[in-house]
Amino acid sequence: MSSVIRKARVLLVAYYAYMLEYRAELFLWALSGSLPLILMGVWTKAAQGGQFGLSPLDFIRYFLTVFIIRQFTVVWVIWEFEKEVIEGRLSPRLLQPLDPVWHHVASHLAERFARLPFMLALVVLFFMLYPQAFWVPKLGNFLLFLIAVISAFTLRFLIQYTFAIFAFWTERASAIESFWFLLYLFLSGLIAPLQMFPAPVREVVLWTPFPYLVHFPAALLIGLPVDLVQGFLVILGWGVLFFVLNRWLWRRGLKQYSGMGA
Amino acid sequence: MPIIETENLSKVYPVAVKEPGLQGTLLHFLRRTYRSIEAVKQVSFQIQPGEVVGFLGANGAGKTTTLKMLTGLIHPSAGRVRVAEHIPFRRKAAFLQQITLVMGQKQQVIWDLPALDSLKIHAARSGIPDKASGERVGELTEMLSLHGKLNQPVRKLSLGERMKAELMAALLHHPKVLFLDEPTLGLDVNAQVGVREFLREYNKRYGATILLTSHYMADITALCQRVLVIHQGQLIYDGGLDQLLDNFAPYREVQLELAHPMSEAELSLYGEIEAVEGQSVRLCVQREALTRSVAKILAELEVLDLTVTDPPIEEVIGRVFSAGGVS
């Protein structure tokens, strides 16, 4: 156990140092996730004129929360992994007594910590500009939100890493992610809260993994109605499915791997 | 009992083929055809613990593919391979703790961080306690003369220092079997000598087994008593280095820069002429006559510069191949 903690600590510290090497890049990445803030403006304006079931203030809080969730759930493992496979840089990692995925997990987690101050600064700035949007969520909701965000990151990482393994066969696995991202964009609640979807569509979408990557945690934090049991069960179901698929593809993929370029 | 053992080891790769031109491109998109490339064909050999063996072959001969199968990076298409009593492809932790592979210079250490950070990861990953890892880093720093280099970002190091940092990371867990692919490629002469001396010392100190590929004959002659030669995927020579050189490269090349041009007739007294361009002359001299010939050249001719080099590896391999190989 202590050796696992030591490995985790050393990896996190090293990748934290790595992330901090490029301060400007980190800030720009944090800013590049501001699509929800733009959408906030659009929806707030629309809410002032129409009947959406959500008030302009709800929209502001929803999209601010979406912004925060996106900061915590950004995943880029597919581009890194694809490069490693194509350039053969996966080879040395395969020869170390540690599954290569832990390098990616560590770099993602370390990046979250490195990004945190920028993100907090942006949120504080936001509330200074719009003090009327400020609210204090209930403690229970806040804790559920934390669990939901961690679950959302885990699921998104797992799904993208599973796609990434296709790099053993196609060498352009990131194309799968580009297609998937389109679905994610529309069905996750990133562009509009699920409340805006027609009821039959919403019922179907709630069985896919997408709304649990953005809408579900956001709704929890701002207090929109959600089905907690269904929510966590769907996350678990998709998580198990992708985990099994991931390990199966990994074993098949390694037999396919030719260690190109190295 | 051999520490490395292969029997009829083979690897076949499918490679997509594409004709040039627009028609070829469209066909390639619609109906892709593949061709099988036999990169390694039925290679069998054994290496005993503590041996340092050179693995020679031209580009694309199958050296790297063989190394990848020996380390378990790729799955053999056929045949049997055992290294340190394990089947490499299973990549059990007990196996990985005993081997290392050094390939190129951007592999083991994180480019943007000081090497010490990467070494910390290596130590934690291999379960080396902090105290022991500190001692090993100290020892390897000494052996590799890397004092003061480990706390600056790796990208700021020179090529030679980076290679040494790679070696250090690759050897921190004290592996018993070292697979080295071109460990001196691109290094200047001093750095090459440094790496060679280090490898010799490591082999002596830990009784480690080393299998190394190199384009530099000097690496092989400095380190290996035995060599394996691979050509188009087939093992065509397995034996002593001396025998290989005596049989297939019994000469060395002497390059001269003369003070005055000389006629070929005069020059032929000192060795077989390969090329003459003004004052630059290349001569072929038999190995056993080398010292005598060089002494004679220096005594009788006005020489500005003189270098003695080995024939290129490709040429030696070409000779072994055309002679049908010796196994």
Side-chain angles (χ1 to χ4, degrees), chain A residues 3 6-19 21-22 87-99 103 169-170 250-251 253-262, chain B residues 11 13-14 64 68 71-75 89 91 93 95-97 99-101 103 106-108 110-114 117-118 120-130 133 153 155 181:
Chain A
S3 117
R6 177 167 172 234
K7 281 179 199 172
R9 184 174 50 84
V10 169
L11 273 178
L12 281 175
V13 169
Y15 279 103
Y16 185 64
Y18 177 76
M19 292 299 164
E21 276 288 299
Y22 300 101
E87 294 173 6
R89 285 194 291 129
L90 182 64
S91 303
R93 295 220 168 143
L94 285 176
L95 296 184
Q96 294 159 359
L98 179 76
D99 193 303
H103 282 273
W169 291 273
T170 76
W250 174 251
R251 277 195 299 276
L254 283 181
K255 285 206 171 181
Q256 185 76 21
Y257 182 56
S258 59
M260 287 167 279
Chain B
K11 180 71 189 177
Y13 285 115
T64 308
K68 284 181 195 162
T71 48
L73 275 180
I74 59 172
H75 194 258
F89 188 69
R91 286 200 297 273
F95 166 72
L96 297 177
Q97 294 283 15
I99 66 144
T100 200
L101 169 68
M103 244 183 198
K106 259 176 114 169
Q107 306 272 334
Q108 309 271 353
I110 301 173
W111 195 247
D112 296 305
L113 294 180
D117 279 317
S118 296
K120 273 206 155 98
I121 298 182
H122 280 254
R125 200 174 40 210
S126 307
I128 309 164
D130 281 336
S133 113
R155 61 168 193 271
D181 197 14

Side-chain angles (χ1 to χ4, degrees), chain A residues 145-208:
Chain A
F145 163 76
L146 282 187
I147 299 171
V149 167
I150 295 169
S151 310
F153 166 69
T154 312
L155 186 60
R156 183 144 163 67
F157 186 89
L158 196 56
I159 293 174
Q160 204 186 82
Y161 187 52
T162 306
F163 293 154
I165 294 176
F166 281 99
F168 285 128
W169 291 273
T170 76
E171 292 158 30
R172 283 289 179 275
S174 51
I176 307 172
E177 172 64 20
S178 304
F179 174 69
W180 178 265
F181 188 75
L182 200 66
L183 298 175
Y184 169 81
L185 201 61
F186 287 103
L187 303 181
S188 68
L190 185 64
I191 292 214
L194 246 61
Q195 270 75 6
M196 299 300 108
F197 289 27
V201 176
R202 189 168 61 223
E203 283 311 307
V204 176
V205 169
L206 280 173
W207 292 102
T208 69

Side-chain angles (χ1 to χ4, degrees), chain B residues 25 46 60 69 106 115 118 143 176 186 201 211 220-221 232 247 249 258 313 324:
Chain B
T25 305
Q46 295 186 339
M69 287 194 279
K106 259 176 114 169
S118 296
M143 286 167 83
K176 286 203 293 194
E201 177 64 23
L211 181 61
I220 307 290
T221 44
Q232 294 176 350
N247 290 351
L258 298 171
I313 281 185

Side-chain angles (χ1 to χ4, degrees), chain B residues 21-63:
Chain B
L22 182 62
Q23 198 189 349
T25 305
L26 291 175
L27 271 178
H28 187 68
F29 182 75
L30 297 171
R31 197 157 39 88
R32 201 155 289 190
T33 47
Y34 291 89
R35 184 162 53 99
S36 291
I37 302 250
E38 274 191 274
V40 175
K41 300 173 200 163
Q42 305 211 318
V43 165
S44 307
F45 60 85
Q46 295 186 339
I47 295 176
Q48 301 299 327
E51 269 192 281
V52 184
V53 178
F55 198 22
L56 305 181
N59 288 332
K63 297 184 302 262

Side-chain angles (χ1 to χ4, degrees), chain A residues 40 42 74-76 78 99 126 147 150 173 175 194 216 229 238:
Chain A
M40 175 196 290
V42 175
V74 173
V75 172
W76 60 84
I78 197 161
D99 193 303
F126 182 84
I147 299 171
I150 295 169
L194 246 61
F216 183 64
V229 178
W238 283 105

Side-chain angles (χ1 to χ4, degrees), chain B residues 250-325:
Chain B
Y251 62 92
R252 300 193 88 187
E253 205 175 76
V254 177
Q255 293 179 31
L256 300 174
E257 197 62 45
L258 298 171
H260 318 284
M262 287 174 65
S263 73
E264 293 202 6
E266 286 173 291
L267 285 167
S268 64
L269 296 172
Y270 302 95
E272 192 185 319
I273 299 168
E274 274 196 338
V276 182
E277 278 172 42
Q279 282 141 265
S280 303
V281 180
R282 279 195 293 139
L283 298 173
C284 244
V285 178
Q286 293 297 314
R287 249 165 216 280
E288 60 273 13
L290 184 69
T291 329
R292 207 172 50 240
S293 300
V294 170
K296 191 172 166 200
I297 289 169
L298 291 174
E300 297 175 7
L301 306 180
E302 206 172 324
V303 178
L304 300 177
D305 193 17
L306 181 147
T307 15
V308 179
T309 52
D310 283 301
I313 281 185
E314 282 76 7
E315 207 174 306
V316 181
I317 293 163
R319 282 165 180 248
V320 179
F321 183 65
S322 54

